[in-house]
C-alpha cells in the first residue's frame, strides 16, 4: 500500500513487455525478436543497475539499450516525485545521457529514441515532453534525455541516473596522454564509463 502511494493514481508501472507492445505505450509488438524481448525483460526486472551488451553487428545491442532507456524513463514518470525517491532537491534534474564516439553518433541514437517516444500515446497525453526543444527531451519533473559528445567532460555537473554508451569497442586509446591523470594511457571508453558511474553512485545509488 505504501509503495502504491509513491506512484501516480496508485498504479504501479506496467511490465516491460506491455510497455513495448501495447498500442498505448510504444506500440512495437512484433518488432523485438523473442530473444531480444527476453533480454529486455530480464534487464528491466529490477535486479540490475548496469549491463554490458556484446555480440555481432545486428544482434540488437543498441535496440535493447534504447528500449530500456524508454522504459526506465516511463518508470520514473510514474512516480509522484522522482526526486524525493532519490533524496535530491525537487528542483534538481534527473538525466539520461546518450553518449558515443562523437556527438553525431550519439545524435543518431537519440533521434531513434525520440521518434519512439513521439509516437507513444502515453508520452503524448500523460507525460509530454516540452514543445520546441530539439537538442534534448525535457519532461515534467525535470526528467531530461540528451545526447552528449564523447568527451569525458560532457557529463560534468549533471545528475545522470543512467544512459547508453555506444560503440565502446571503437573508442580511442592514447599512450602518454595529457588527458590521463597520470600521464599514461588514456582509455576513452573507461573514462566515459567511470564518469557516468561516479555520478550515478553519488546521486542515486544510495537509495
Amino acid at each position: 500500500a505504501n509503495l502504491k502511494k509513491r506512484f501516480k493514481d496508485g498504479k504501479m508501472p506496467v511490465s516491460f513487455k506491455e510497455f513495448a507492445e501495447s498500442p498505448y505505450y510504444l506500440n512495437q509488438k512484433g518488432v523485438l525478436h523473442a530473444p531480444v524481448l527476453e533480454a529486455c525483460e530480464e534487464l528491466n526486472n529490477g535486479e540490475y543497475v548496469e549491463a554490458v551488451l556484446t555480440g555481432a553487428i545486428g544482434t540488437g545491442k543498441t535496440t535493447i539499450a534504447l528500449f530500456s532507456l524508454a522504459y526506465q524513463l516511463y518508470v520514473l514518470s510514474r512516480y509522484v516525485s522522482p526526486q524525493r525517491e532519490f533524496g535530491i532537491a525537487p528542483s534538481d534534474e534527473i538525466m539520461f545521457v546518450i553518449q558515443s564516439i562523437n556527438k553525431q553518433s550519439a545524435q543518431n541514437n537519440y533521434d531513434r529514441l525520440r521518434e519512439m517516444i513521439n509516437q507513444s500515446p502515453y508520452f503524448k497525453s500523460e507525460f509530454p515532453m516540452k514543445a520546441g526543444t530539439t537538442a534534448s527531451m525535457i519532461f515534467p519533473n525535470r526528467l531530461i534525455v540528451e545526447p552528449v559528445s564523447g568527451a569525458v567532460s560532457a557529463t560534468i555537473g549533471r545528475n545522470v541516473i543512467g544512459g547508453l554508451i555506444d560503440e565502446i569497442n571503437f573508442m580511442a586509446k592514447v599512450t602518454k596522454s595529457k588527458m590521463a591523470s597520470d600521464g599514461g594511457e588514456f582509455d576513452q571508453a573507461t573514462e566515459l564509463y567511470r564518469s557516468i558511474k561516479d555520478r550515478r553512485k553519488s546521486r542515486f545509488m544510495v537509495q
Side-chain angles (χ1 to χ4, degrees):
N2 289 334
L3 184 62
K4 286 188 175 181
K5 289 180 181 178
R6 293 155 56 189
F7 292 101
K8 295 174 182 175
D9 304 321
K11 296 179 181 178
M12 302 281 284
V14 302
S15 68
F16 176 85
K17 183 177 182 180
E18 182 175 349
F19 175 75
E21 296 187 342
S22 168
Y24 185 61
Y25 295 104
L26 291 189
N27 194 26
Q28 301 279 338
K29 187 173 184 178
V31 172
L32 298 178
H33 297 299
V36 176
L37 177 59
E38 183 179 344
C40 286
E41 288 184 291
E42 180 180 1
L43 179 56
N44 291 282
N45 68 9
E47 295 182 11
Y48 302 94
V49 295
E50 60 183 48
V52 178
L53 305 178
T54 65
I57 293 173
T59 52
K61 301 182 296 296
T62 303
T63 297
I64 290 171
L66 293 177
F67 270 76
S68 294
L69 276 181
Y71 182 67
Q72 292 301 322
L73 175 64
Y74 157 72
V75 170
L76 286 181
S77 78
R78 295 304 305 154
Y79 283 111
V80 173
S81 173
Q83 282 80 359
R84 186 171 60 203
E85 292 294 319
F86 294 102
I88 61 177
S91 59
D92 285 354
E93 66 182 5
I94 296 179
M95 186 175 186
F96 291 94
V97 297
I98 297 178
Q99 198 162 27
S100 191
I101 302 173
N102 52 51
K103 182 67 177 288
Q104 185 55 56
S105 183
Q107 183 71 41
N108 293 338
N109 288 328
Y110 169 81
D111 289 343
R112 283 183 62 188
L113 179 62
R114 187 179 179 112
E115 186 60 24
M116 289 166 55
I117 290 174
N118 274 336
Q119 294 180 13
S120 166
Y122 171 81
F123 284 105
K124 287 180 180 178
S125 62
E126 293 194 45
F127 204 70
M129 72 176 75
K130 184 178 179 180
T133 60
T134 56
S136 60
M137 289 182 269
I138 302 174
F139 297 91
N141 292 330
R142 296 213 67 204
L143 299 186
I144 299 172
V145 182
E146 187 173 310
V148 297
S149 74
V152 176
S153 60
T155 57
I156 285 179
R158 311 301 295 272
N159 282 338
V160 178
I161 195 170
L164 158 65
I165 308 176
D166 198 22
E167 306 292 1
I168 281 179
N169 196 47
F170 300 99
M171 289 187 175
K173 289 187 177 181
V174 182
T175 59
K176 297 181 180 179
S177 172
K178 294 180 180 178
M179 292 184 288
S181 57
D182 60 357
E185 181 180 73
F186 171 74
D187 185 326
Q188 183 186 11
T190 299
E191 294 302 323
L192 294 183
Y193 166 73
R194 284 176 178 168
S195 179
I196 290 180
K197 181 179 180 181
D198 289 348
R199 277 155 184 76
R200 295 183 72 223
K201 184 177 180 180
S202 65
R203 293 164 171 83
F204 300 104
M205 299 307 290
V206 174
Q207 300 285 59

